Amino acid sequence: MEKEKSDEFYSRLKEQLLENTKWPSNYLYKFIVPTDKKRIDQITTIFNMPGAVIESKKSKKGTYTSVSITVHLNNPDEVIAKYKEVSSVEGVISL
């Protein structure tokens, strides 16, 4: 059941990206993750690619960290592949 929902989500996302973006293009990812160096490092490792701009900022209380990443990608499939990779990081929320 959960896989069907995620498949639907990624299918809709792909359609929107094809309609609204000229490819290749820069894409901005935003994630929120519990402040934990290991988890943040997992995300930054996934985006360890030439030209990736990675910024992070802790929440006011320091409990969570927002991670913003801008990367140049060739098509919506690459965007979705990165979202799927990041989904393996425990506690991550994709925005």
Side-chain angles (χ1 to χ4, degrees):
M1 185 73 172
E2 192 64 36
K3 183 174 178 355
E4 288 177 18
K5 287 182 181 177
S6 68
D7 287 346
E8 281 180 34
F9 169 79
Y10 289 125
S11 178
R12 274 196 319 274
L13 176 61
K14 183 175 180 175
E15 285 178 29
Q16 291 172 344
L17 290 171
L18 284 168
E19 289 175 16
N20 300 320
T21 309
K22 187 174 188 273
W23 297 96
S25 181
N26 286 336
Y27 188 81
L28 174 63
Y29 291 90
K30 290 190 173 215
F31 305 104
I32 296 176
V33 65
T35 300
D36 172 9
K37 184 174 177 1
K38 182 182 171 198
R39 293 179 192 181
I40 295 166
D41 286 349
Q42 283 179 286
I43 294 171
T44 57
T45 299
I46 290 168
F47 289 95
N48 184 14
M49 50 201 304
V53 178
I54 302 171
E55 299 174 359
S56 62
K57 181 180 177 185
K58 285 186 182 176
S59 64
K60 196 172 192 176
K61 292 182 180 179
T63 311
Y64 294 95
T65 299
S66 70
V67 182
S68 300
I69 303 152
T70 303
V71 290
H72 190 77
L73 299 172
N74 293 313
N75 57 55
D77 292 326
E78 290 183 0
V79 172
I80 291 166
K82 290 294 183 189
Y83 273 123
K84 287 180 178 179
E85 279 186 75
V86 171
S87 71
S88 69
V89 177
E90 186 182 333
V92 71
I93 299 170
S94 300
L95 302 177

